[in-house]
């Protein structure tokens, strides 16, 4: 699938490929080779121009790209081993929130994250990455288990929001998220949170209190999605682009506000154009950050965590 | 041709002799239509004496409910909102703030005060729905955080009275992080072993319910308040079905195990006093 701003690049790439085929048939024709070289340079230029100047709404679209790597893709590619752990020990297992112990360069880490589906059937099974209360409760159970065995926690966030349904309310969606937020502040082990796709509101924040909160380059994180914001403030779904501009939810915006700790660069064209490069970058970041964080004592980490979020806010007195 | 003819034209009573009913002498309950005097309604803390309907009241009114002789010290009374995103929808955010301040006489959607409740020293933060739907932005978050700091410093219990539609969109990411900021402070309050009562009033939804409102040692609510994570309209649109009767009311939450008890506004002071007295070290 191609987004509208990906189309010109794809067209260019297919032209380049036909030249390459021609070149293979004509065995190193110099004129063709030269044309290919120019084309390749032009392509890089076009990509840079496109992706450096994306509007906020276009970044939101990239964050939801159907080919974008999801939580399990990361785990399969960055962990040597991974054992998924299910259930909240209370009500059910939530397939929209996954977790388990994995090893990364020999080090055991508790991984937790929302999971989206690739096709219609999977999407339904994963509830579009919208967790229910049992998902948040499973996440907290796993975090406390990680704490017990002194293993760090890494959360991968990718959700269009916590699920707004009757059963979710019945089982205390608000309470589940609130408890996670509070209890994550007191975790004695290092916690790294990475927004890998969509970071929608409380549904994201419910697993996003960390010593380091990072965003991949083409993701968004805010209090509401541009669509919902548009429907509330403009009373129509049509103003999503304006809403995205107004909410300033991109990684660059959020870092500028001091609401996150860093941006993880993506391959030119977005994470989905070169998943391997993305996995390698994320893996390196996790290892580096864990090394840095384990230098501090649990008490220092907890205090820094509380202080960091305590500074967030703009007001006049 | 009409059936009746008026014999004399015009009203004959002199204006000076006109018998007037002063404005606002009567209050009609919007729920049961029962009519009572506004005085009776006010003495009853804006609760209908017939059906018990709880009218939405301001922070100032709630302070009068809780504090002895309505005596208290307000904290951070002048804190006001910034505009970190230069947010504009139909109106620029700073203009919206100024207009709302002028209309309501409030600085933002929350006031904090400390004082005595039946002799017990307490710190209270109370939300004002009339200020942009009681929405939570940086000011609300910061004032709650400082309210909790005050409770820890003065070793008082902390009472939070919520009445809010959720986070304030105009502060986007900043509003979201107020959920984190307030919850972090509550973790410190818990470490200090000071009681936290969260009183939810109509309505308590969104980011407010998904952070400090649900984190009380005691989560309590006024009768028949709307309490939930997602608003009823959003849920109805998502699932495409009508919602069950009484869904997301205080009574529904009590039934499902998310409230410790429901308390009428007229009994809040007595009940909180009893509870906090039992917890005294």
């Amino acid at each position: 699938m191609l987004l509208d701003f990906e189309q010109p690049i794809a067209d260019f790439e297919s032209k380049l490929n036909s030249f390459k085929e021609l070149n293979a048939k004509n065995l190193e024709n110099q004129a063709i080779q030269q044309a290919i070289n120019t084309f390749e340079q032009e392509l890089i230029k076009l990509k840079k121009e496109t992706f450096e100047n994306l509007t906020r709404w276009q970044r939101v679209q990239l964050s939801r790209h159907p080919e974008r790597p999801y939580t399990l893709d990361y785990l399969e590619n960055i962990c040597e081993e991974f054992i998924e752990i299910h259930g909240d020990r209370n009500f059910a297992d939530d397939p929209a929130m996954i977790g388990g112990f994995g090893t990364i360069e020999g080090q055991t880490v508790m991984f937790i994250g929302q999971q989206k589906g690739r096709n219609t059937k999977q999407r339904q099974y994963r509830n579009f990455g919208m967790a229910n209360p049992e998902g948040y409760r499973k996440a907290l159970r796993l975090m406390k288990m990680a704490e017990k065995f002194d293993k760090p926690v890494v959360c991968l966030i990718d959700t269009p929001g916590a699920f707004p349904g009757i059963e979710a309310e019945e089982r205390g969606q608000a309470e589940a998220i609130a408890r996670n937020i509070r209890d994550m502040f007191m975790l004695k082990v290092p916690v790294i949170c990475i927004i890998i796709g969509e970071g929608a509101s409380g549904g994201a924040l419910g697993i996003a209190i960390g010593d380091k909160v990072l965003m991949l380059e083409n993701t968004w994180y805010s209090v509401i999605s541009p669509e919902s914001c548009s429907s509330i403030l403009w009373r129509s779904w049509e103003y999503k682009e304006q809403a995205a501009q107004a909410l300033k939810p991109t990684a660059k915006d959020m870092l500028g506000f001091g609401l996150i700790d860093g941006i993880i660069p993506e391959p030119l064209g977005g994470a989905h154009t070169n998943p391997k490069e993305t996995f390698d970058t994320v893996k390196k970041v996790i290892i580096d950050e864990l090394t840095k964080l384990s230098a501090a004592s649990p008490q220092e980490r907890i205090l820094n965590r509380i202080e960091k979020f305590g500074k967030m806010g703009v007001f006049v007195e | 041709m009409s059936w009746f003819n008026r014999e004399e034209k015009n009203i004959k009573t002199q204006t000076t002799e006109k018998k007037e009913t002063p404005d606002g002498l009567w209050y009609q309950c919007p729920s049961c239509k029962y009519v009572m005097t506004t005085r009776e309604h006010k003495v009853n803390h804006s609760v209908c004496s017939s059906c018990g309907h709880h009218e939405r009241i301001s922070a100032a009114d709630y302070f009068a409910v809780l504090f002895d002789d309505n005596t208290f010290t307000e904290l951070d009374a002048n804190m006001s909102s910034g505009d970190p995103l230069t947010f504009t929808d139909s109106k620029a955010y700073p203009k919206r703030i100024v207009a709302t301040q002028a209309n309501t006489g409030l600085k933002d959607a929350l006031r904090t005060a400390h004082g005595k409740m039946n002799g017990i020293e307490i710190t209270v933060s109370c939300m004002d729905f009339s200020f942009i739907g009681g929405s939570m932005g940086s000011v609300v978050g910061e004032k709650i955080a400082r309210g909790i700091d005050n409770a820890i410093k003065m070793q008082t219990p902390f009472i939070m009275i919520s009445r809010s539609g959720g986070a304030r969109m105009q502060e986007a990411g900043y509003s979201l992080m107020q959920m984190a900021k307030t919850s972090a402070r509550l973790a410190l309050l818990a470490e200090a072993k000071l009681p936290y009562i969260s009183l939810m009033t109509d309505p308590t939804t969104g980011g407010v319910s998904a952070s400090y409102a649900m984190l009380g040692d005691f989560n309590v609510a006024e009768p028949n308040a709307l309490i939930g994570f997602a608003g009823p309209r959003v849920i109805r649109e998502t699932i495409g079905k009508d919602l069950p009767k009484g869904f997301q009311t205080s009574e529904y939450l009590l039934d499902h195990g998310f409230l410790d008890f429901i308390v009428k506004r007229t009994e809040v002071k007595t009940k909180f006093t009893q509870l906090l007295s039992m917890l005294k070290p």
Side-chain angles (χ1 to χ4, degrees), chain A residues 137 162-166 169-175 177-179 181-182 185-186 201-203 205 209 221-224 228-229 231-234 237 246-248 254 257-259 306 309-317, chain B residues 76 78-82 84-89 138-139 142 146 167 169-170 172-174 176-181 183-185 187-188 191 209-211 214-215 228-230 234-235 238-239 243-244 247-248 252 256 258:
Chain A
R137 293 188 178 120
F163 187 59
I166 293 180
E169 296 289 327
E170 209 170 18
R171 298 197 288 273
Q173 187 73 287
E175 193 273 348
I177 292 172
R179 180 185 295 269
I181 296 172
R182 183 190 61 195
F185 275 105
M186 301 316 255
S201 201
L205 194 69
I209 306 297
Y221 188 17
S222 192
V223 75
I224 192 167
S228 304
C229 177
S231 90
I232 295 173
L233 290 185
W234 282 269
W237 294 84
L247 287 169
K248 303 194 168 67
M254 290 293 278
F257 296 144
L259 300 178
I306 293 174
F309 282 91
K311 281 185 196 145
M312 295 176 184
V314 172
F315 46 84
V316 284
E317 282 181 275
Chain B
D76 310 303
N78 288 318
M79 196 188 290
S80 174
S81 194
L85 283 89
T86 53
F87 195 101
T88 303
D89 49 287
S138 300
V139 174
E142 182 67 19
R146 291 191 193 180
M169 265 175 283
Q170 290 87 345
Y174 286 95
L176 181 64
M177 298 310 164
Q178 304 313 308
M179 295 168 67
K181 180 198 278 188
S183 305
R185 288 302 220 290
L188 294 178
E191 294 252 296
S209 69
S211 59
M214 279 291 173
L215 291 174
F229 174 65
V234 175
I235 300 174
T238 307
I239 61 170
L243 304 175
F247 182 60
Q248 294 186 313
Y252 178 91
H256 287 87
F258 290 99

Side-chain angles (χ1 to χ4, degrees), chain A residues 8-53:
Chain A
I9 294 167
D11 293 346
F12 207 101
E13 272 172 342
S14 75
K15 252 185 230 165
L16 180 63
N17 284 337
S18 60
F19 266 99
K20 279 183 179 167
E21 275 169 31
L22 200 65
N23 197 23
K25 279 178 202 158
N26 288 321
L27 292 170
E28 310 287 318
N29 179 318
Q30 217 163 20
I32 298 176
Q33 186 57 48
Q34 232 166 18
I36 289 175
N37 291 346
T38 339
F39 263 137
E40 272 177 342
Q41 276 167 7
E42 286 287 312
L43 179 66
I44 292 173
K45 223 174 102 186
L46 177 68
K47 271 192 180 174
K48 271 195 178 155
E49 260 170 34
T50 310
F51 287 95
E52 275 163 16
N53 297 308

Side-chain angles (χ1 to χ4, degrees), chain A residues 221-262:
Chain A
Y221 188 17
S222 192
V223 75
I224 192 167
S225 73
E227 286 93 335
S228 304
C229 177
S230 160
S231 90
I232 295 173
L233 290 185
W234 282 269
R235 298 184 193 287
S236 148
W237 294 84
E238 297 305 305
Y239 297 86
K240 50 187 190 282
E241 283 160 270
Q242 277 105 309
Q245 278 306 106
L247 287 169
K248 303 194 168 67
T250 66
K252 213 171 142 192
D253 294 322
M254 290 293 278
L255 185 65
F257 296 144
L259 300 178
I260 58 160
D261 301 305

Side-chain angles (χ1 to χ4, degrees), chain A residues 90-161:
Chain A
N90 249 312
F91 177 75
D93 182 45
D94 187 349
M97 180 79 80
I98 57 145
F101 280 122
T103 55
I104 174 163
E105 291 204 343
Q107 189 181 357
T108 305
V109 173
M110 173 58 81
F111 287 96
I112 293 163
Q114 289 100 349
Q115 179 65 33
K116 290 179 173 174
R118 243 352 123 194
N119 54 40
T120 309
K121 209 173 161 187
Q122 276 183 9
R123 273 194 274 273
Q124 276 178 342
Y125 174 62
R126 299 291 182 186
N127 200 24
F128 302 87
M130 295 186 282
N132 272 290
E134 50 273 22
Y136 292 98
R137 293 188 178 120
K138 168 165 76 175
L140 190 61
R141 176 173 87 83
L142 299 192
M143 289 180 212
K144 298 221 161 153
M145 180 149 66
E147 184 179 45
K148 176 177 174 182
F149 296 112
D150 200 20
K151 303 297 176 202
V153 175
V154 172
C155 294
L156 302 178
I157 292 115
D158 187 10
T159 181

Side-chain angles (χ1 to χ4, degrees), chain B residues 138-169:
Chain B
S138 300
V139 174
V140 169
E142 182 67 19
K143 283 177 89 165
I144 293 174
R146 291 191 193 180
I148 297 167
D149 289 347
N150 181 74
I152 295 173
K153 196 180 86 192
M154 299 181 66
Q155 292 287 298
T156 76
F158 181 66
I159 298 174
M160 175 73 226
I161 303 168
S162 298
R163 189 191 293 287
S164 167
R168 189 174 296 167
M169 265 175 283

